[in-house]
Structure formats: C-alpha cells, structure tokens
C-alpha cells in the first residue's frame, strides 16, 4: 500500500509538475486575444495559442499518472516562477451548485489553490476571493446563481465603501463555460470566468485580477485530455466515510435536450493507474465507501499507456454497446474499459463499498453486470436513466434506444443481478410531449418500480439540438403537473419496495448522527436508502459478547422494522464488514 507519507511526497511532486505545466503553458503575463473593451474594465480572453494547447495537453496527459521524481520534465526554462502566482495567504470562500461532479471539481480547485499559497475560509465576509462552482443544466439552476451574484455584488460594494479588503469574484464550471465573457458583460462584479477544464490556470487568473483590479480574466478553453489525474482532491467533507473519485469527464452522446456536451466537452478517461493510486490512498485514510464519478461513468475507456493490463477486456475483447442501443458516435475501440477498472478496484478494496454515477444505459454489457453480481462490495443499485417511456419522445431526445430495448435491459439486469434496485432520471414536458406520450412514462415507472427517481420539468437550453430544431411548447403548468404525477407514481412503487424489506437484515454504512434526533444514527443501505437506528452499544461481531457503540463509518447489520418511500427504520444487530456480512448471508442460505 502507498503510505500517507509517500503519498504526500508524490502529491507534492505532482504539484511541482502541474505548476511547471501551467507556467510553460502561460509563459507571459501579457493577456492575449482581447475580446471586449469597456470603459471601466477590460475583459480579456486570456489563453495560450492552439499549438501551446496541443503540446501541453499531450504532455499533461502523458505525465498524468507518473509520479516519480525521475520522470519530472525539466521545465525551469519558463519565464514565470511558481512564486508569481502565489496566493500569499489570501482567503478563498467557495460555494457549490449542481451535481456530485461539481463537488469533486471543488475538491480539485482547493487542491490547486492550497498548493499555490491560498487558504480556505468558511466565511464569505472575510474572503479575499469568492468562487462559485456553477451548474447550467436547467434555467432554475442558473437563476439561483444569478441571485447569489446579486448578493455578492452588494457585499463587494459594501466592502469598497468601507475601504475594507477588496474581493475578487470568480464564476467556475458549467455556467462559466456556457456564457463565457457574456457573464462579465452582464454582471460587472465578476472578475474571473473559468470553465471546467481550466482549474489549473486559476492561480494565474487570480494573480492577474489581484494585480490589476480593472482587469477581468477568462479561460474557457475545453480540453481533449484534461482529467486532473495528478491532482489529489482536498475533500470538502473530510469527516465523511464516503469519498468520490472522478474517473472520466465530458460527454459524447448529444442528447437533444442537454447542455453538458457543450459545457463539459468531449469524453476522456483518466488513466487507470492514477485512479487506483487514489483508491489505495483513500483506503489508507480509512474511507468506507467510494463513488466513481463521470458524466458517462460506464463509458470509461483508458487509452493511455497504463501499466495495468490483464483485465476483462483482454479476455473477452471489445464488446459493443447493449443490444438495441445506438450511439451517435463511431464505435470506440481498445483500451481499459469500465469492467476492467471496476474489477481491479473491487478486488483491491474488498471491504470498501463501491458505487458509480452517472452511467448511461447503453454501456451496461453483460460483463459489467456479471462483475457487479459477483462482487459483494459493488452495490447492487444501478442508475439507468430512462428520461421517457415513449418511443417518439425518446427519438426526439436522441437517446438511441426504445422503450422495448430499455425494458429488455431492465430484464437482463434483473436476471444477472438478483435483488438489484434501480434508479432513473426523467424529464417531463419535453418539446411536443402529448398526454398519451407522458402516460407511457407513467406506465414505465409503474412497471420498473424504481428505488430512486430524479424527475425534472424540461428546461430549454440554447445550443442544444432541441433549441435549434424543436419548440418548447408545453406550458409551465402542464410540466409541473406531470412532474407531480410522476413523483407520486414513483413514490407508490418505492414504498412497496421498501416495505418488502421489513423483516430483512440489511448492511448499512453509518453516515452520522440523525438530523432529527441526537439519540439516533443515520446510514445508507446497499440500495442507497436512508436507514435510521437508535444509538446503542451492539456486539462487535455476530455471536460476540463484546459490545461497541455505533459510530460514523461503522458497517452495521440492521433488521428493518418499518419503511416508507424514502426512509427505513431498523434495529441494529451487530457490527460487521462487507466480507463478513455477505459471507454470513451466504452461509444462512446454504443452511436453509
Ligand atoms: N431540462 C430538464 N432536465 C434536464 N436534464 C438534462 N438536461 C435537462 C434539461 N434541459 C436532466 C436529465 C439528466 C439529468 C442530469 O438532468 O434527466 O439525466
Ligand atoms: Fe450541472 Fe451537468 Fe454541469 Fe453537473 S455537469 S454541474 S449537472 S450542467
């Protein structure tokens, strides 16, 4: 195992590498490519030339998973030194909106900033820099961010009026990428705009706006290679037993409603070696659950010269997508695939629970399903985002499958992984959705019985195919009425599912004290349902007289005594581990 000390050493080396990369990439402080000039503030699109971009992307990808000092390239010829971009103790406050990928991106940004001399603060009022990690998926998500920016403009003005410290405001992530310099034109209090692939460049962007308060800095270049493979995220919830690892970024699917391919760029996978190093590090830190992250997590395909070979792909060759599912892109070939990575990770950390999100249904070939069935530490809880249950709507959405092929996949998943639970995303009121078409989504939800469903009213996004070709002609009221109907139908199914577990014994990872009562602990079952138990001393293992209290991070065997659609309650039986629990459950099955 890679010890903490070693890891820190390698981490520092990787930071040195990363810094060299930034310095050589941006070897002059003179902003290029001026796009807008305004009377008070000049707005620049600061960026390298196309050639810089290509060379450095390739170099960064090549070095991404190499941590040894010997492999460090000598980049000391660059004009600027690391010191030029040092935060010198400036305090940074960060807010996050949107999905889990954004939370992980915040962790990457903290890593970049802290290693460049910035420090964290939890108080916006005392910050020198305020950053917002933003989401652009629906108009509602962006509206929340505009409201926050409104508030921050007042804070900035108040501080200026009091001659208090100057605050720089930065917008990062998907909304930054979607609106680019238009953001600054609309909201002049913004100093920095940085897209999802430019976080390494933040120290430079921040230095530029700190040195010259009349300047704004924008870097919204999307990369074909950037996976931040060499950056060890600084966890935002260090006390949590769960951690997240980003394994791929971007999306090549082009669903007609979705802005993500435009804000997050092309699909690219992080080299397996660097992921495995991070898994080992988290295991050493005592983490109990790891969620692998990516916009299309199961499309993972590591094409780097990874030292890790001999996986499932070598044995069975390159399988295509699930039968009945089409892609808009040409079949990709070669490399380590999701099954290989999952196989490797699950075997090196057998007592850590593994989840992954967000997958695409097309990328669940049999070998992935079989692996999930066989490994007790991979949660038997799959996200199969359907979006709609009607073929005409699926076609307009460009999803590449039909209701029938989706249901065939659901059947296959149930056959290969007995007891699996499913979750899904749905959009209500997509362009032209008729009442009959919506009824097909309702019947799909009733038929599949999802454990969890994320249900959204359609929100038209510029740049998408739907924006160019279709009409957003379903009223707001109809969209919300359909959302309500679908939610209530989903809840009926989820309640039945949860109640069917009353009397069973579930393995629960305790996340902490329950929010509702200090005498209770809350955790999650394998199917990701919240489970509440009284805080008690329980046996340290099955058939053991010694007892210990239930703590955050404990794996506990819990007998379920009641359930509704969202929460189950139970009696804690004994402390356990993943391997012990499933060994015990298997033994019981054999005896009966
Ligand atoms: N409007 C509403 N929901 C959307 N989603 C993606 N784009 C839109 C949109 N324009 C939903 C999809 C996706 C989830 C992350 O967000 O259901 O799976
Ligand atoms: Fe929002 Fe999608 Fe960007 Fe996540 S990837 S922040 S959900 S737009």
């Amino acid at each position: 195992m890679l010890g903490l000390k070693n890891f820190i050493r390698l981490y520092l080396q990787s930071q040195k590498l990363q810094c060299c990369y930034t310095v050589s990439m941006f070897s002059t402080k003179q902003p290029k490519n001026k796009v807008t000039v305004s009377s008070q503030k000049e707005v620049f699109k600061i960026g390298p030339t196309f050639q810089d971009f290509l060379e450095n992307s390739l170099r960064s990808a090549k070095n991404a998973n190499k941590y040894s000092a010997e492999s460090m390239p000598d980049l000391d010829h660059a004009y600027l030194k690391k010191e030029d971009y040092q935060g010198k103790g400036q305090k940074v406050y960060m807010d996050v909106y949107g999905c889990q990928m954004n939370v992980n991106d915040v962790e990457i940004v903290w890593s970049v900033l802290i290693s460049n001399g910035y420090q964290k603060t939890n108080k916006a009022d005392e910050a020198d820099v305020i950053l917002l990690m933003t989401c652009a998926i629906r108009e509602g998500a962006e509206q929340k961010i505009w409201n926050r920016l409104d508030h921050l403009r007042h804070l900035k003005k108040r501080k200026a009026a009091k001659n208090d410290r100057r605050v720089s405001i930065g917008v990062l992530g998907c909304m930054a990428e979607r609106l680019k310099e238009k953001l600054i034109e609309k909201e002049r209090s913004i100093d920095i705009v940085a897209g999802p692939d430019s976080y390494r460049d933040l120290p430079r962007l921040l230095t530029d706006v700190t040195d010259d308060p009349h300047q704004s800095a924008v870097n919204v270049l999307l990369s074909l290679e950037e996976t931040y493979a060499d950056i060890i995220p600084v966890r935002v919830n260090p006390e949590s037993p769960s951690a997240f690892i980003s394994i791929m970024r971007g999306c090549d699917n082009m669903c007609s409603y979705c802005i993500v391919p435009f804000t997050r760029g092309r699909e690219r996978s992080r080299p397996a070696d660097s992921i495995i190093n991070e898994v080992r590090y988290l295991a050493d830190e005592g983490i109990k659950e790891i969620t692998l992250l990516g916009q299309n997590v199961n499309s993972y395909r590591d094409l780097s010269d990874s030292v890790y070979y001999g996986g499932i792909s070598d044995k069975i060759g390159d399988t295509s997508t699930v039968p009945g599912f089409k892609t808009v892109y040409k079949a990709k070939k070669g490399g380590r695939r999701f099954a290989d990575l999952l196989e490797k990770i699950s075997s090196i950390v057998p007592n850590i629970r593994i989840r992954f999100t967000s997958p695409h249904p097309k990328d669940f070939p049999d070998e992935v399903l079989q692996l999930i069935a066989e490994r007790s530490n991979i949660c038997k809880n799959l996200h199969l985002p359907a979006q709609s249950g009607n073929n005409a709507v699926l076609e307009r959405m460009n999803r590449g499958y039909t209701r029938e092929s989706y249901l065939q996949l659901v059947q296959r998943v149930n056959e290969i992984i007995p007891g699996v639970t499913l979750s899904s995303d749905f959009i209500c009121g997509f362009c032209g959705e008729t009442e009959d078409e919506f009824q097909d989504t309702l019947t799909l939800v009733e038929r599949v019985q999802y454990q969890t469903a994320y249900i959204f009213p359609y929100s038209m996004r510029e740049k998408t195919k739907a924006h160019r070709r279709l009409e957003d002609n379903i009223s707001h009221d109809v969209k919300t009425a359909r959302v309500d109907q679908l939610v209530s139908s989903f809840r009926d199914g989820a309640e039945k599912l949860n109640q069917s577990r009353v009397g069973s014994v579930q393995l629960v990872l305790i996340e902490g004290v329950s929010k509702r009562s200090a005498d209770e602990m809350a955790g999650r079952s394998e199917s990701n349902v919240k489970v509440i138990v009284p805080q008690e001393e329980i046996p340290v293992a099955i058939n053991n007289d010694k007892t210990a209290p239930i703590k955050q991070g404990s794996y506990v065997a819990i007998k379920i005594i009641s359930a509704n659609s969202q929460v189950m309650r139970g009696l804690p039986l004994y402390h356990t581990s993943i391997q012990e629990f499933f060994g015990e459950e298997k033994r019981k099955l054999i005896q009966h």
Side-chain angles (χ1 to χ4, degrees), residues 241-242 288-289 351 353 355 376 379 501 504-512 520-534 538 550-562 567-578 581-582 585:
S242 304
K288 298 292 174 61
E289 177 180 80
N351 273 317
R353 219 178 222 183
R355 300 186 188 276
S376 51
C379 288
R501 299 208 179 87
S504 72
V505 177
Q506 302 282 323
L507 178 67
V508 173
L509 173 60
I510 301 294
E511 291 177 337
E520 292 180 320
M521 301 296 281
R524 293 211 166 247
S525 69
E526 183 172 4
S527 49
N528 218 358
V529 178
K530 189 179 239 182
V531 181
I532 308 284
V533 286
I538 52 168
I550 302 173
K551 287 199 201 125
Q552 183 178 52
S554 307
Y555 272 111
V556 178
I558 289 175
K559 182 160 187 173
I560 304 300
I561 53 171
S562 70
V567 185
M568 304 195 283
R569 289 187 164 270
L571 292 177
L573 302 178
Y574 52 88
H575 287 277
T576 186
S577 68
I578 296 174
F581 180 81
F582 288 107
E585 289 297 295

Side-chain angles (χ1 to χ4, degrees), residues 97-102 134-137 174 259-260 263-264 295:
Y97 299 84
C99 62
Q100 206 42 251
M101 284 291 284
N102 268 14
T134 63
C135 174
I137 196 127
C174 290
I259 190 75
V260 170
T263 58
R264 289 265 177 181
Q295 261 87 38

